[in-house]
Amino acid sequence: MSSVVSCLSDEFPEKSLSTILPLSRRNELLGLKNAYDGVKLHHSIEKVIIHGESGTGKTTLAMSIQNNVILDKGFFCSGKYFQDSDIAQEPFSAIMAAFSDLCDLMLQSDYCNEERIAVIKSKLGVDAKYLTNVVTNISPFVDDEYKNLNQCEATIHTASFIHFKLACKNFLKIMSSDEHPVVMFIDDIQWMDTGSKKLLESLMLDTSINNLLLILAFREEDASYLDAIFLGQVNDYLDIKLGNFDVEAIHEMVLARLDIDKTNASKDISSLSSLIVQKTNGNPLHVVQFLEAIEKDGLLTFHSEESKWIFDIERLQKETMISDSLADLISKKVTRLDKETQTLLKAMSLSPCHFTEESLHALATNVLGEIDTEEDYPNVLVRPLLCKAIKEGMIEETSDGYQFTHDRIRSGFQSIMGNDERENLHVVLGKMFRAGPSKYSKYLAAVHFNCVTALMTRNGEDRRMLAKIYVEASEYCQLRSFEAARSFLQKGLSLLENDEKWTANFDLSFKMTRSLAKIESWRGNLEGCLSAVRELLCWAKSTEDTTDALLIEIDARITTFSVNNVLKEGKQIFYALGYSIPRMMTPFHLFHKLRRVRRLIIGKKDEDILDSSDIPGNSRNLHMIFSKLSIYFFQRKAYALSLYTSLLVLEHAMEFGFSSSAAISLVVVGAFEIFMGNTERGCRFGKLVKKWASLHRDCTNSKMAEVLAALFINFKQENTRFCTCTFSPDELVCRNG
């Protein structure tokens, strides 16, 4: 029997989940607004955690306060993690997307003028160099000297990652204010990378950040998941758990979706609500999809002339079914789309990037074949292709492009593809991104090719091509995440195992293995680093190859406590370069080397000594490692080794060119001269160091050398003996700014 229900409006109500869901989440929305009011009132940082099953409206709830923030002249920025690759999540992607969004909002605001931009540049200062390569829209707020850096040291090692975290905190402090609070929403953190976890944990534990509401959402019912990912260190946050709706809440959703007044609701609407609960288990997203599906199938009909809804409960019970994965609903919707639109949406679902009209143009060109690429192509062809998908509620148009209305819709498109179709699309997308000029494009190409198992079993040339792409992706990831970079390198090396890796592909294998050794060292995995170094030494073809491998090992071993182990590797590299360290160090060996260095320095002008214009890159690395060795030996009171190592650095620098690391060695040797009573010669060394430092103010080693020079020069006046003094270079650098 058909039911007829009157509607308030004379038009079909186009209401989305974001419109009707807050009506049934009043308490949760009130808690979220109270947290935002707390930020405005106390000028503090507030944390909100939203969690629940997929489709319960986590994103919708968080976005519901956006208008309030805008009306208060605040900034609402957001980012989202995607489950896109078995090999790696793009490092820091969601957080950096939110930062980029924040930069855009600041630039678009009425109170952002030249004076405000100048203030931001001044406050951001040197921190900009840690953000310029990862925050896409930060350029207007960065001084020219920090733009277009060849590399970012954001996560190169622990100390630099600390700088990166501090830079992120400083950025948020600068962009937020009492008048303009910031709300940052990070969605789907269950898929975030390790670096993002550490960064978010640091932000949540920092009480010095003001005027910030941090909202995190994850797909998990149990709140203990947050303790698991943050090791129980994060507390003092508002916990909002979203579950499925009961019959009463679903009834409110149905009334809002059909635009029916509650006083006019009939028993048939209540029966419809009960049926929907039965079919959808009360999942809000499933409810909306169910209503749209029965309307498209003609089971729920709207008569515009009479402003009435007509439906038959018995027929609905017989003919409707909902799948937990939404695959059935999506399959029905897909059949209503033309073939080109289906293919385009399937390709969109496989790619992690956000699609602008321009990028959709490129995607359609590659996926749908060679087509006319006239200037207005996106408006003429792409938009019509997407219109029906937009009407079906699959995708939505944003201010700068298109996106899926929900990640369940996105994953639904992935689930309806067969393996062959999916792999073919991954190949097309991989080739498209590989042709892009940016490192991010190379990274996306690697992500797509990694999903194509057929490429792993093809001929050697194809595997070499894929290995090279993985190297490029690893270089991109090194700026952000060691785990991702390591995964790409290991994958690339595995491709060459059956192709005579070291005999037929020596250069590529050596490059990947050397990068892997460095990454393992930066990760603090000494065993993994040494394993890669041993392989490099086994296959090294030249002295330079051997030196490269030993330099990596020395750098890794410096973090250990054994002087003998470090000295053993140091001797190997000295021998490889034609130098030697006496088995038993005596004063004769020290003074013999000292006299040689004196002769090399005494007859030269300051400018000639400090000339670094033609120094080879390998020499810079050599000086850096040797200076580290010198400080390492000094800290462990192996003073003779410290002095001898510094003398070797200066001997090498006088022949091949000076470097900032050589300046530190100059300090050590100069101090020794002073302690031996050669004040004039020692002071000249100190002045050389200060002169070098004055010409290289941006160099950390130069700053440290300058402080050490002043410190050691004062030792003579204080009668401090060289063999008993101790210091922490790290402390000196920190005290010097």
Side-chain angles (χ1 to χ4, degrees):
M1 178 179 178
S2 298
S3 301
V4 180
V5 183
S6 298
C7 180
L8 292 174
S9 173
D10 58 354
E11 296 181 357
F12 181 77
E14 293 286 348
K15 293 192 176 182
S16 64
L17 183 63
S18 61
T19 305
I20 61 179
L21 185 59
L23 298 174
S24 304
R25 297 287 193 197
R26 296 183 182 88
N27 293 334
E28 292 86 351
L29 182 57
L30 179 62
L32 192 58
K33 288 181 177 179
N34 287 339
Y36 175 63
D37 290 338
V39 171
K40 294 191 298 179
L41 179 63
H42 304 294
H43 307 298
S44 59
I45 178 173
E46 298 289 338
K47 290 95 65 176
V48 177
I49 308 298
I50 305 174
H51 57 100
E53 291 183 356
S54 175
T56 51
K58 301 179 292 294
T59 303
T60 301
L61 179 63
M63 298 294 290
S64 63
I65 67 166
Q66 185 174 14
N67 288 335
N68 299 68
V69 177
I70 294 173
L71 291 174
D72 289 335
K73 297 183 178 180
F75 300 121
F76 186 100
C77 58
S78 62
K80 177 182 176 68
Y81 290 102
F82 294 99
Q83 188 181 26
D84 288 302
S85 172
D86 295 333
I87 194 167
Q89 172 71 245
E90 186 195 350
F92 305 113
S93 57
I95 304 173
M96 295 305 109
F99 281 13
S100 297
D101 197 11
L102 183 54
C103 290
D104 276 345
L105 293 171
M106 175 63 76
L107 289 171
Q108 295 167 12
S109 63
D110 297 334
Y111 37 88
C112 184
N113 49 36
E114 292 185 3
E115 182 180 353
R116 175 63 177 159
I117 291 176
V119 170
I120 294 175
K121 282 184 177 181
S122 175
K123 290 184 177 180
L124 195 58
V126 71
D127 286 339
K129 76 176 184 179
Y130 295 99
L131 301 175
T132 187
N133 279 354
V134 289
V135 182
T136 55
N137 300 321
I138 201 174
S139 179
F141 305 109
V142 177
D143 282 330
D144 292 339
E145 62 179 305
Y146 301 122
K147 293 180 181 178
N148 302 319
L149 295 178
N150 291 328
Q151 68 174 22
C152 173
E153 296 179 335
T155 56
I156 292 300
H157 46 67
T158 303
S160 292
F161 183 62
I162 292 173
H163 281 295
F164 176 64
K165 290 192 292 186
L166 293 174
C168 290
K169 294 177 183 180
N170 188 33
F171 174 78
L172 288 173
K173 292 176 183 178
I174 294 170
M175 301 299 275
S176 62
S177 64
D178 294 351
E179 298 80 14
H180 311 293
V182 171
V183 177
M184 187 167 77
F185 170 47
I186 306 298
D187 201 3
D188 283 330
I189 63 171
Q190 73 273 6
W191 291 322
M192 65 182 169
D193 57 285
T194 304
S196 294
K197 182 182 77 170
K198 293 179 180 178
L199 178 55
L200 281 178
E201 181 180 318
S202 179
L203 292 176
M204 295 183 76
L205 294 174
D206 193 332
T207 57
S208 67
I209 301 176
N210 299 322
N211 304 299
L212 174 67
L213 174 59
L214 181 60
I215 306 174
L216 305 181
F218 59 90
R219 187 181 295 182
E220 174 65 50
E221 285 226 340
D222 190 355
S224 64
Y225 173 79
L226 190 74
D227 292 335
I229 60 176
F230 291 128
L231 303 179
Q233 297 188 56
V234 176
N235 49 36
D236 190 26
Y237 58 84
L238 174 63
D239 179 27
I240 298 179
K241 177 183 178 180
L242 301 184
N244 291 337
F245 286 155
D246 56 18
V247 176
E248 183 179 352
I250 294 296
H251 188 59
E252 286 191 14
M253 282 191 69
V254 172
L255 294 177
R257 180 68 177 83
L258 302 182
D259 203 20
I260 298 173
D261 186 79
K262 192 172 185 178
T263 57
N264 295 330
S266 65
K267 292 183 178 179
D268 294 311
I269 288 292
S270 298
S271 299
L272 177 61
S273 300
S274 299
L275 174 64
I276 291 174
V277 172
Q278 176 187 342
K279 298 294 184 180
T280 66
N281 197 30
N283 185 283
L285 177 63
H286 288 203
V287 171
V288 173
Q289 294 289 327
F290 181 84
L291 287 170
E292 290 180 353
I294 61 176
E295 192 273 327
K296 296 292 182 184
D297 292 339
L299 301 175
L300 177 66
T301 308
F302 179 70
H303 285 230
S304 57
E305 294 181 359
E306 301 180 11
S307 299
K308 294 180 179 179
W309 288 99
I310 299 177
F311 56 90
D312 188 331
I313 289 293
E314 294 181 1
R315 185 185 173 195
L316 282 171
Q317 288 176 329
K318 293 179 181 179
E319 299 189 21
T320 58
M321 180 181 71
I322 188 92
S323 169
D324 289 340
S325 64
L326 287 182
D328 291 344
L329 283 177
I330 291 177
S331 296
K332 290 181 180 179
K333 287 188 174 186
V334 168
T335 58
R336 292 192 283 264
L337 302 174
D338 55 74
K339 185 177 180 180
E340 289 79 9
T341 303
Q342 291 181 33
T343 304
L344 189 60
L345 291 181
K346 288 175 182 177
M348 287 177 63
S349 73
L350 294 176
S351 185
C353 63
H354 177 76
F355 284 98
T356 62
E357 287 194 347
E358 182 180 357
S359 59
L360 271 177
H361 176 193
L363 180 65
T365 303
N366 284 272
V367 172
L368 303 181
E370 295 297 330
I371 43 184
D372 185 16
T373 56
E374 57 188 68
E375 189 172 336
D376 59 348
Y377 173 82
N379 296 323
V380 172
L381 185 56
V382 173
R383 193 182 295 274
L385 284 176
L386 298 179
C387 274
K388 196 163 186 178
I390 293 174
K391 190 174 182 180
E392 292 282 353
M394 297 179 177
I395 63 172
E396 59 188 1
E397 191 169 3
T398 64
S399 59
D400 60 344
Y402 299 89
Q403 64 183 21
F404 286 95
T405 53
H406 195 275
D407 59 354
R408 289 295 296 274
I409 305 296
R410 186 171 181 266
S411 61
F413 267 97
Q414 296 174 354
S415 67
I416 63 176
M417 285 185 280
N419 288 335
D420 291 342
E421 183 182 16
R422 186 183 298 108
E423 290 201 353
N424 287 336
L425 285 175
H426 275 304
V427 170
V428 173
L429 289 165
K431 290 180 178 178
M432 181 185 79
F433 285 118
R434 190 191 178 198
S438 67
K439 290 184 178 180
Y440 180 55
S441 294
K442 310 299 183 185
Y443 164 79
L444 290 177
V447 169
H448 284 292
F449 284 135
N450 184 63
C451 299
V452 185
T453 55
L455 288 177
M456 311 302 175
T457 57
R458 288 185 180 177
N459 59 55
E461 188 58 39
D462 285 340
R463 287 199 294 271
R464 279 191 291 275
M465 177 273 293
L466 187 55
K468 291 177 181 178
I469 294 174
Y470 283 153
V471 171
E472 293 174 328
S474 174
E475 291 172 352
Y476 170 82
C477 291
Q478 282 181 31
L479 307 179
R480 296 160 172 82
S481 168
F482 293 146
E483 295 297 331
R486 175 173 173 261
S487 297
F488 278 119
L489 288 172
Q490 290 177 331
K491 197 80 172 181
L493 286 167
S494 68
L495 289 171
L496 303 179
E497 285 295 341
N498 298 325
D499 295 322
E500 299 178 332
K501 181 170 72 173
W502 287 104
T503 54
N505 301 283
F506 176 82
D507 291 340
L508 182 58
S509 297
F510 194 90
K511 181 178 182 180
M512 286 193 290
T513 307
R514 180 176 56 191
S515 297
L516 182 62
K518 289 181 179 180
I519 289 171
E520 294 290 20
S521 173
W522 295 332
R523 291 178 65 242
N525 181 10
L526 181 61
E527 184 177 348
C529 173
L530 297 182
S531 175
V533 167
R534 282 193 291 270
E535 190 170 13
L536 290 172
L537 292 174
C538 178
W539 292 98
K541 289 183 176 181
S542 64
T543 300
E544 185 176 359
D545 294 341
T546 302
T547 302
D548 281 347
L550 290 173
L551 284 172
I552 296 171
E553 181 163 357
I554 288 176
D555 203 20
R557 285 196 182 275
I558 282 177
T559 60
T560 69
F561 293 95
S562 172
V563 173
N564 290 332
N565 282 345
V566 177
L567 179 58
K568 178 182 177 182
E569 306 305 326
K571 284 183 176 180
Q572 288 190 45
I573 195 168
F574 293 152
Y575 297 150
L577 294 171
Y579 297 95
S580 62
I581 293 182
R583 181 171 299 178
M584 294 294 294
M585 189 71 65
T586 66
F588 170 79
H589 294 114
L590 288 173
F591 283 105
H592 175 74
K593 186 65 69 176
L594 178 59
R595 283 195 296 269
R596 173 167 171 75
V597 171
R598 284 174 180 172
R599 287 195 300 269
L600 291 172
I601 291 178
I602 197 168
K604 290 188 176 183
K605 296 180 180 179
D606 291 356
E607 293 76 10
D608 295 332
I609 295 173
L610 303 179
D611 182 23
S612 59
S613 56
D614 298 324
I615 181 173
N618 195 46
S619 293
R620 292 183 189 275
N621 293 335
L622 184 69
H623 294 175
M624 179 182 66
I625 298 298
F626 282 9
S627 66
K628 286 183 179 180
L629 279 173
S630 180
I631 294 175
Y632 172 84
F633 290 142
F634 191 90
Q635 287 177 315
R636 285 155 179 79
K637 300 183 180 181
Y639 302 117
L641 287 173
S642 175
L643 175 60
Y644 197 86
T645 307
S646 294
L647 289 169
L648 286 175
V649 172
L650 293 181
E651 184 179 15
H652 190 273
M654 292 304 99
E655 182 177 356
F656 296 100
F658 205 76
S659 68
S660 58
S661 298
I664 296 177
S665 297
L666 197 60
V667 171
V668 176
V669 177
F672 182 79
E673 293 279 17
I674 291 176
F675 300 136
M676 292 301 296
N678 302 320
T679 306
E680 184 177 349
R681 188 180 288 115
C683 286
R684 191 204 172 191
F685 288 172
K687 290 176 182 178
L688 280 171
V689 173
K690 287 195 170 186
K691 188 170 184 178
W692 169 267
S694 66
L695 298 173
H696 301 83
R697 286 290 177 185
D698 59 335
C699 177
T700 302
N701 279 349
S702 296
K703 291 180 180 179
M704 184 169 74
E706 185 178 22
V707 176
L708 293 178
L711 181 68
F712 280 129
I713 289 171
N714 289 334
F715 280 167
K716 177 65 177 178
Q717 300 171 350
E718 297 172 4
N719 296 317
T720 307
R721 296 183 60 194
F722 177 70
C723 61
T724 58
C725 63
T726 59
F727 66 94
S728 168
D730 293 336
E731 289 182 10
L732 292 173
V733 174
C734 292
R735 291 175 185 173
N736 198 40

